[in-house]
């Protein structure tokens, strides 16, 4: 968390992104790190689950599809992200 999530949180904080909900509603203060982290985990899991679901739906004994995902580097560090 310190190496990957906290630096990303600080960048988002400096850009003022943490003072709005994902739907654009303004907040009185930045969302806390724990909420940011929970959101990050949820997004990573959703991306991974959707990719795996698509792959399984395309795979047949004669077809082994290739999936290419364009995602930010923070979502794949240490082989633990998406």
């Amino acid at each position: 968390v310190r190496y990957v999530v906290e630096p990303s949180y600080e960048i988002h904080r400096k850009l003022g992104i943490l003072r709005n909900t994902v739907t654009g509603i303004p907040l009185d203060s930045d969302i806390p790190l724990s909420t940011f982290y929970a959101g990050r985990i949820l997004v990573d899991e959703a991306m991974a689950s959707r990719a795996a679901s698509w792959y399984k739906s395309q795979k047949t004994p004669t077809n082994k599809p290739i999936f290419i995902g364009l995602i930010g580097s923070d979502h794949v560090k240490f082989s633990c992200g998406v």
Side-chain angles (χ1 to χ4, degrees):
V1 172
R2 279 199 178 129
Y3 182 74
V4 176
V5 179
E6 286 183 16
S8 181
Y9 178 83
E10 283 304 312
I11 291 169
H12 283 75
R13 187 185 61 73
K14 288 176 183 175
L15 293 172
I17 297 171
L18 300 177
R19 290 199 175 242
N20 294 297
T21 66
V22 293
T23 58
I25 298 170
L27 302 170
D28 293 331
S29 61
D30 293 340
I31 63 169
L33 177 61
S34 60
T35 302
F36 180 80
Y37 178 71
R40 172 67 70 80
I41 296 300
L42 181 63
V43 168
D44 285 355
E45 179 60 30
M47 288 190 288
S49 294
R50 184 64 187 115
S53 175
W54 176 86
Y55 185 83
K56 287 177 186 176
S57 74
Q58 302 299 311
K59 187 176 178 187
T60 66
T62 58
N63 180 37
K64 294 182 180 170
I66 296 173
F67 179 85
I68 299 172
L70 302 177
I71 55 178
S73 63
D74 278 353
H75 295 281
V76 294
K77 285 185 179 175
F78 310 113
S79 303
C80 296
V82 177

